[in-house]
Amino acid sequence: MQRAPRAEVIATRRMGAFRHHTLVAPDIADRARPGQMVSVAIGGPASALVSRRTLPIAAASPSGTYGGTVDVIVDPGLDAGMAWLGDLRAHDEVAMIGPVGRAYPLPTSGVDVLVVGVGASAAPVGWLAAHLRDRGCRVDLTLAGPDDRHLVGVIEARRIAGSVTVLTGADPELGADLAARVRTQLRTSEIAVVYAAGRARHLAPVVEVARPFGVVVQCCVDEDMPCGTGLCGSCEIPVRADDGMRHTIRGCTEGAVLRGDRVDWAALAEELG
């Protein structure tokens, strides 16, 4: 088996409860687009084949002083593997593959869009908003999390988006507040597309409130993806085709960006427990 390329951490900083890493990865940076991910080996070479974490790419710079770089945001509180990633420091190296999965589809012309991100899953939304703005889109951005320490990029977002809304609170109230905010935005604005990034429990209500408005929600479903290659089959997502038939796709290779109205959210919630 071909070994995964090594990526060096060249900068790291605390971001509230999260850790923001910049890694040198020219091949990934050249091809990465908002919504795609990287898969990182945990614990060094001894565990690289059995322990990985797949993270949304927060930004990619194809060129620079160190060559192409990739930014990721780590939530050390999720599990021991994420805590290990959060402890990385400058000049540490990890085995990293990517870009993994599908990117967000961008509109061909400038339209009004709503971008929603929850917790560390919101890593790509600032990068996405910048791409949308470059397409001539008006971007309204909503960032949510359990508290202020679990929000991503609020200050940076205010430089990019037309408006920024911040929501904090514990589940399930946070999901209900998020859905209510999206409903208000769709009712009072000419939103053509909703882009969302989060866990399934937060994405499902957003898709549900958008349905009566006929607005497509492009979702980056940030659930556990143990291998990032599609081989383990642990990140299957139930979806429905145009003919109504249900089948499963692999989140890491055929997602993680999916049309929200194609996902069987009830079945996915049951699988996730």
Side-chain angles (χ1 to χ4, degrees), residues 106-139:
L106 301 179
T108 56
S109 60
V111 295
D112 291 355
V113 300
L114 174 61
V115 180
V116 178
V118 184
S121 303
V125 301
W127 188 29
L128 170 65
H131 276 257
L132 291 166
R133 184 190 59 185
D134 291 345
R135 291 285 179 105
C137 296
R138 172 185 163 75
V139 180

Side-chain angles (χ1 to χ4, degrees), residues 34 41 51-52 58 63 73 131 138 140 149 205 208 233 235 253 262:
S51 184
R52 307 186 70 85
S63 61
I73 295 173
H131 276 257
R138 172 185 163 75
D140 290 334
R149 297 181 66 249
E208 188 61 30
C235 62
T253 56
R262 301 291 176 83

Side-chain angles (χ1 to χ4, degrees), residues 24 28 40 120 156 164 193 200 206 237 244 251:
V24 178
I28 297 175
V40 185
E156 296 84 350
V164 178
V193 185
V206 170
I237 298 175

Side-chain angles (χ1 to χ4, degrees), residues 34-37 102-105 114 116 121 124-125 128 193-200 202-208 210 215-222 225 237 249 251 254-263 265 268:
Q36 292 183 299
M37 301 189 171
R102 298 173 61 248
Y104 282 108
L114 174 61
V116 178
S121 303
V125 301
L128 170 65
V193 185
V194 176
Y195 293 93
R199 297 281 174 167
H202 298 124
L203 296 174
V206 170
V207 173
E208 188 61 30
V215 175
V216 171
V217 183
Q218 297 287 352
C219 297
C220 183
V221 186
D222 184 18
M225 301 178 192
I237 298 175
I249 59 98
E254 298 163 278
V257 175
L258 300 165
R259 277 186 52 146
D261 56 343
R262 301 291 176 83
V263 177
W265 296 103
L268 179 57

Side-chain angles (χ1 to χ4, degrees), residues 24-114:
V24 178
D27 184 58
I28 297 175
D30 286 345
R31 296 179 289 121
R33 298 293 182 270
Q36 292 183 299
M37 301 189 171
V38 289
S39 180
V40 185
I42 301 299
S47 62
L49 297 181
V50 295
S51 184
R52 307 186 70 85
R53 295 295 183 276
T54 304
L55 304 170
I57 300 173
S61 301
S63 61
T65 304
Y66 298 92
T69 58
V70 170
D71 289 23
V72 297
I73 295 173
V74 178
D75 183 354
L78 276 182
D79 57 40
M82 287 294 197
W84 185 89
L85 279 178
D87 285 339
L88 293 175
R89 293 297 179 262
H91 308 303
D92 288 343
E93 291 188 349
V94 291
M96 187 167 75
I97 58 175
V100 173
R102 298 173 61 248
Y104 282 108
L106 301 179
T108 56
S109 60
V111 295
D112 291 355
V113 300
L114 174 61

Side-chain angles (χ1 to χ4, degrees), residues 231-257:
L231 295 177
C232 74
S234 297
C235 62
E236 290 187 341
I237 298 175
V239 297
R240 294 192 183 278
D242 290 335
D243 60 5
M245 295 295 293
R246 178 181 152 181
H247 62 284
T248 59
I249 59 98
R250 294 164 295 179
C252 63
T253 56
E254 298 163 278
V257 175

